[in-house]
Amino acid sequence: MRVTMSEIARLAGVSPATVDRVLNDRAGVRGRTRSIVMEAARQLGYFGLTETQKGKAVRIVFFLPEGPNSFMRGLRTQLLEEAQARPEVSVQVEEVVNPGPDAYVAALRAVEGKCDAIGIVAPDHPMLREELTQLSRKGIRIATLVSDISAISKVGYVGIDNRAAGRLAGLLLGRFLNHGKRHKIAVFIGSLAYRGHEEREMGFRSLLAEDFPELEIVHFGEVGDDRSKAYQQTRQLLERADIDGIYSIGAGNQGIVQALKETRKSRDVVFIGHDLTDTTRTALLDRTMDAVIDQNPRIEAREILRMLSAAVRGEMEPEYPPRLQVIFRENIPMR
């Protein structure tokens, strides 16, 4: 059956008249609205089924930042393992070296015409937003993973609510420390270029301001998810100041753990971080860390593959926000 303009209008959230203007290339429609209508028309099969929609394997390329980040290495493994169980998809994982906007743009341009969909963990930057929008207009389905990117035409975002995760970290830290007494807090962030890290910081600060004003952030360090930088900053801080709590927003936890152990302050400082890795698992067991806020990379890999493959085949799948899970020494899940 022929797809009607009314069906496209319902999916795009616009009027049939707007759909008519877009499909007949008439003036008077904003660029973003035009992109939304064209995406809805493609998804519904208005232009006919592509070869991929007829049954060929969906070609998906994932872009992850290259580096020592243990969570990203685990996510890469989960994406490849999940793909092996899905014959309807063909997955390639590209690790972006020196992962700034220029490197991401170059990597995206290198796969144009060679994939049907893209999943990406990347900084939220104007150059990258423009490149992703252009790829979307050419029919490539886009989904963000772990850290969202604003104002782009995408299928959806798969990842935790990072602002809620930051608020949860603030609640944990505040409850672990004694009430009614001023405490000095250090915050380490991977990179403010990542929207997810920025949102965690916002959530953390807002919770402290609301519920624990006696907790004072005396150090804020951007470490680029580099364990060496995290170690150096933590070691210097612990040697010159009395710190009661540490919140690690991104990676680099191995360096913080090393500094706490070397200064023999593991039991004196409340340490909250993110993502269950080999490093954070060991740190929980030996009580260097007090709690880890985890997102499940296996579920995230499953959901983004489901979302992208469905979109390429002209189907709609809702966004899936994985649940936040707090892991302590006593409830560490089995491997």
Side-chain angles (χ1 to χ4, degrees):
M1 294 179 63
R2 180 69 173 173
V3 177
T4 68
M5 290 190 183
S6 294
E7 290 172 327
I8 298 171
R10 280 196 297 271
L11 180 57
V14 299
S15 69
T18 299
V19 174
D20 179 70
R21 285 196 293 272
V22 171
L23 295 180
N24 289 289
D25 200 24
R26 298 193 184 102
V29 183
R30 291 184 299 175
R32 173 158 173 74
T33 303
R34 188 177 297 274
S35 297
I36 292 171
V37 170
M38 292 295 287
E39 174 67 17
R42 279 192 292 268
Q43 289 186 18
L44 291 172
Y46 179 83
F47 303 108
L49 294 178
T50 65
E51 287 303 310
T52 301
Q53 290 170 321
K54 291 176 183 177
K56 287 179 62 178
V58 176
R59 302 168 299 168
I60 304 176
V61 179
F62 288 98
F63 292 92
L64 307 180
E66 186 271 343
N69 187 317
S70 299
F71 175 78
M72 288 300 164
R73 291 202 303 268
L75 179 60
R76 179 183 185 277
T77 298
Q78 293 296 337
L79 286 168
L80 294 173
E81 288 183 356
E82 187 68 25
Q84 288 179 350
R86 291 174 174 265
E88 74 275 14
V89 300
S90 172
V91 167
Q92 174 184 346
V93 179
E94 294 288 337
E95 295 182 303
V96 182
V97 181
N98 300 320
D102 290 335
Y104 269 100
V105 168
L108 286 166
R109 289 177 179 174
V111 302
E112 186 175 341
K114 302 175 183 177
C115 65
D116 305 301
I118 288 172
I120 189 166
V121 182
D124 190 346
H125 189 276
M127 287 176 55
L128 189 53
R129 292 198 294 267
E130 179 64 20
E131 188 66 26
L132 290 169
T133 297
Q134 293 302 322
L135 289 171
S136 178
R137 287 174 179 168
K138 294 174 182 177
I140 296 176
R141 307 299 192 265
I142 309 291
T144 52
L145 180 62
V146 178
S147 181
D148 202 4
I149 298 174
S150 62
I152 63 170
S153 178
K154 61 179 183 285
V155 176
Y157 161 67
V158 175
I160 60 173
D161 180 336
N162 282 295
R163 195 170 189 277
R167 289 183 62 86
L168 180 56
L171 177 65
L172 289 168
L173 200 58
R175 296 294 292 177
F176 268 116
L177 293 169
N178 294 327
H179 297 291
K181 177 184 175 183
R182 298 199 67 80
H183 294 285
K184 295 180 179 179
I185 306 300
V187 176
F188 296 95
I189 191 169
S191 173
L192 285 168
Y194 285 89
R195 187 176 180 184
H197 286 190
E198 185 180 36
E199 289 172 345
R200 289 178 189 178
E201 182 206 352
M202 291 168 56
F204 182 75
R205 288 182 182 273
S206 66
L207 192 285
L208 294 194
E210 292 168 16
D211 293 346
F212 303 104
E214 68 274 14
L215 271 59
E216 178 187 4
I217 298 174
V218 297
H219 176 84
F220 181 84
E222 190 170 2
V223 297
D225 288 339
D226 186 316
R227 63 189 61 169
S228 297
K229 288 183 181 179
Y231 166 76
Q232 292 167 4
Q233 288 193 26
T234 307
R235 182 68 191 251
Q236 293 171 5
L237 181 65
L238 293 173
E239 288 176 346
R240 72 170 186 261
D242 291 326
I243 298 298
D244 302 301
I246 291 176
Y247 174 38
S248 176
I249 289 176
N253 292 314
Q254 187 172 341
I256 299 173
V257 166
Q258 182 182 353
L260 285 168
K261 288 182 175 179
E262 287 181 359
T263 56
R264 298 184 179 182
K265 294 187 177 180
S266 300
R267 300 295 181 91
D268 300 326
V269 177
V270 176
F271 179 16
I272 309 294
H274 287 268
D275 302 323
L276 189 63
T277 64
D278 289 342
T279 294
T280 57
R281 178 185 290 270
T282 301
L284 283 171
L285 289 170
D286 66 21
R287 297 189 186 280
T288 304
M289 292 189 78
D290 295 276
V292 168
I293 300 169
D294 190 48
Q295 55 187 319
N296 191 320
R298 181 182 62 80
I299 292 176
E300 289 177 335
R302 180 193 72 197
E303 292 302 319
I304 197 165
L305 283 170
R306 177 188 59 80
M307 177 185 288
L308 285 172
S309 61
V312 172
R313 297 183 189 283
E315 303 166 3
M316 293 288 290
E317 290 284 349
E319 290 187 354
Y320 178 83
R323 293 179 181 176
L324 288 170
Q325 180 181 9
V326 182
I327 299 176
F328 303 99
R329 184 174 184 262
E330 287 71 23
N331 70 333
I332 295 178
M334 296 178 62
R335 294 178 187 272

